[in-house]
Amino acid sequence: MENELALKRKKIFKTDTKSLIGAVVMGIVFVIACQITGQIDNMLPWGKAGMYLINGSCWAFFTAFITLIYKQPGGIIAAEIEALTSVMYSPLWVAFIFANAVGTIWVSFVASKYDMTKWSHHILAQAGVCILGNCIVTVGMIFILEIPLDVAIIETLILIAVNWIVATVITKLAYDAVLKSGLVK
Amino acid sequence: MINVKNWDPRLKLTWCLFLVLTALISRNMMLDLVLLLTILITEIITEKSLKRFKVIAILLLIAGSQVLIINLLFGRVGEPVWSWWILTVYNGSLIASLLGFLRICVITISAIQFAYNTDATDIAQMLIKWHIPYRYAMLVPITARFFPVMVNEYHSICDSNSARGVPCDTVMEHIRNLPAAVMPLIYRALRISNDASLSVELRGFGRYETRNFQKTIGLRPFEGIMILFIIMMYISIMLCIMFL
């Protein structure tokens, strides 16, 4: 029975109505959380220098969390809802379209290989989300915001380091809590 | 006042993409300024005011100030124009900041204009015309429908927290209480999605391959000509940027 559950969990696609609608609703929660954390970062000194540490961690957490719960195409749907709605609060929305898509595809890939029960699985999943996603956002920062290359690279390295640790811890705890609640199978 | 809402969404999307892509490839401040003025003029012609951009203008000014601070502190392009202790301001940094600010204005305001002028159902129909299965296309109107629902859910969680002695009135209080509000919001979202998916299933969502709409979209001749004109304009701007 446990093996069966693990095998079920390793599927990449889940196209039932509940997953699609769930991805949309969670995508909206993703947007709300990112908007609030963006405001928090804007008030803090590092946010004023364009380094969105809390917002970035929130983004990485939701990207992985939604993909783990609803798989694909739910993950991409939620990620793209966030990217397109971020027009309302971030000028980097064009970069987010690609960053979010790459992040969610990476998590699906990791979730298809592992059952996501250990810390190491979440560390690996968040590695891809944080490194690939932040690299794409860096390209956006350089070409859209005209930020100097060296500054963008240093900001990205700090963002990756902080987001990776924070988002891994939150994703593992939240994912385990949601599974325990029985609201998702 | 011209009612842009009745126009085909494909024309509005082409216009939005033209502005965004032109702003992305442009390295010229004048071109970005012309694009921004074009958006503002079209907005005044169609809506007779710019009040829809009031909130986003504040956010753009914040983002613009961040770009300016970073460029002033770390930018090393061009000639030094002002120096004090370890801080030196270069003229290239100011130009780069202004270019970045104009670009983000064009990219953001054009997308906002598209979002305001296009109905979610029209976008769903546009996706269906592009042969995307309606189960996926209908997610756009569902997003528009559930957005206020989830915002209300968030406010009700904040109200519950306030009733338990954790105030949640000011922006700072909202920020401080975020961790306590997010997990309940996720649980509520899961519950709402369960109920909503059951409701749409009972209404026959996905039972048939096609779906009827009260109002259908169709490309009129002048809209088709406009789309071709916009595409040609984009190609000419791209060629000018590449060869001039």
Side-chain angles (χ1 to χ4, degrees):
Chain A
M1 185 61 186
E2 268 179 26
N3 282 339
E4 211 175 273
L5 274 173
L7 276 173
K8 264 186 185 175
R9 209 171 284 167
K10 282 183 183 179
K11 277 198 308 186
I12 290 182
F13 296 102
K14 207 170 151 191
T15 55
D16 56 297
T17 307
K18 197 172 142 182
S19 301
L20 298 181
I21 305 279
V24 168
V25 177
M26 285 299 277
I28 298 167
V29 175
F30 189 177
V31 173
I32 294 169
C34 280
Q35 207 165 359
I36 297 166
T37 49
Q39 281 178 5
I40 299 173
D41 275 322
N42 268 331
M43 288 179 179
L44 297 166
W46 55 75
K48 288 193 170 60
M51 220 158 35
Y52 284 52
L53 296 177
I54 303 169
N55 185 240
S57 304
C58 175
W59 160 77
F61 157 63
F62 271 102
T63 304
F65 181 72
I66 297 171
T67 312
L68 290 176
I69 292 177
Y70 296 117
K71 306 201 185 294
Q72 299 297 355
I76 285 192
I77 289 165
E80 293 310 324
I81 285 172
E82 194 279 328
L84 294 172
T85 322
S86 66
V87 170
M88 296 290 190
Y89 56 85
S90 175
L92 284 173
W93 64 271
V94 181
F96 292 163
I97 292 174
F98 302 101
N100 289 9
V102 168
T104 182
I105 289 167
W106 172 264
V107 176
S108 282
F109 174 73
V110 173
S112 70
K113 298 276 173 206
Y114 304 104
D115 57 6
M116 305 309 287
T117 51
K118 294 179 184 164
W119 279 98
S120 58
H121 302 158
H122 288 276
I123 290 169
L124 188 62
Q126 283 297 348
V129 176
C130 296
I131 295 168
L132 298 172
N134 280 315
C135 286
I136 293 170
V137 175
T138 308
V139 175
M141 280 163 77
I142 295 164
F143 287 101
I144 298 172
L145 299 181
E146 296 283 334
I147 284 175
L149 180 70
D150 46 352
V151 179
I153 290 171
I154 292 166
E155 278 193 359
T156 306
L157 289 174
I158 298 168
L159 272 169
I160 289 171
V162 174
N163 293 355
W164 193 355
I165 298 164
V166 177
T168 302
V169 174
I170 304 172
T171 312
K172 169 87 171 113
L173 296 177
Y175 184 57
D176 287 352
V178 168
L179 283 185
K180 194 177 89 192
S181 74
L183 280 165
V184 286
K185 289 187 176 66
Chain B
M1 195 169 74
I2 303 164
N3 193 359
V4 186
K5 286 207 169 181
N6 290 338
W7 290 7
D8 194 275
R10 284 163 287 190
L11 172 61
K12 288 179 265 187
L13 183 67
T14 314
W15 173 244
C16 173
L17 286 177
F18 161 72
L19 293 166
V20 171
L21 294 175
T22 312
L24 284 177
I25 59 165
S26 151
R27 319 299 301 171
N28 186 337
M29 224 184 309
M30 269 316 284
L31 180 59
D32 284 343
L33 197 63
V34 169
L35 291 175
L36 183 61
L37 286 174
T38 311
I39 300 170
L40 298 179
I41 290 166
T42 51
E43 184 68 14
I44 289 168
I45 292 170
T46 54
E47 291 295 318
K48 287 190 174 169
S49 84
L50 296 173
K51 65 180 175 196
R52 295 201 297 195
F53 301 147
K54 214 163 74 179
V55 176
I56 201 70
I58 297 164
L59 292 172
L60 285 171
L61 283 173
I62 294 170
S65 66
Q66 285 171 340
V67 173
L68 183 68
I69 290 167
I70 294 169
N71 271 305
L72 288 182
L73 289 176
F74 305 108
R76 295 285 178 272
V77 185
E79 298 292 317
V81 285
W82 185 75
S83 184
W84 178 73
W85 195 38
I86 55 164
L87 186 70
T88 308
V89 175
Y90 293 79
N91 60 0
S93 309
L94 293 169
I95 294 166
S97 310
L98 202 56
L99 186 63
F101 177 66
L102 285 172
R103 189 177 295 139
I104 59 172
C105 283
V106 174
I107 289 172
T108 309
I109 294 176
S110 59
I112 297 270
Q113 199 179 35
F114 173 75
Y116 272 127
N117 289 332
T118 315
D119 192 54
T121 318
D122 285 357
I123 299 175
Q125 287 198 61
M126 179 177 76
L127 295 174
I128 289 168
K129 292 259 182 202
W130 290 345
H131 303 289
I132 289 170
Y134 91 85
R135 281 183 83 227
Y136 297 97
M138 281 306 290
L139 296 177
V140 181
I142 291 172
T143 307
R145 171 72 189 85
F146 275 98
F147 212 96
V149 172
M150 292 316 295
V151 172
N152 285 340
E153 285 291 332
Y154 172 70
H155 287 307
S156 82
I157 290 166
C158 287
D159 290 343
S160 305
N161 284 345
S162 297
R164 289 184 184 93
V166 185
C168 215
D169 300 320
T170 63
V171 177
M172 277 310 289
E173 283 166 356
H174 270 281
I175 289 166
R176 212 179 300 127
N177 298 333
L178 182 71
V182 163
M183 228 28 217
L185 189 62
I186 289 173
Y187 282 126
R188 284 196 188 194
L190 290 169
R191 195 198 63 206
I192 288 169
S193 64
N194 283 353
D195 295 346
S197 57
L198 184 65
S199 302
V200 295
E201 273 295 316
L202 289 171
R203 284 170 179 79
F205 183 74
R207 187 177 165 86
Y208 302 105
E209 278 183 18
T210 54
R211 183 195 155 98
N212 292 331
F213 288 90
Q214 272 189 326
K215 190 189 83 177
T216 53
I217 58 162
L219 205 61
R220 285 170 284 185
F222 94 90
E223 290 169 336
I225 294 164
M226 285 288 284
I227 289 174
L228 280 177
F229 178 70
I230 292 167
I231 293 169
M232 277 163 59
M233 207 156 64
Y234 177 70
I235 292 169
S236 4
I237 290 172
M238 211 167 67
L239 290 174
C240 282
I241 290 169
M242 279 167 73
F243 296 111
L244 291 181

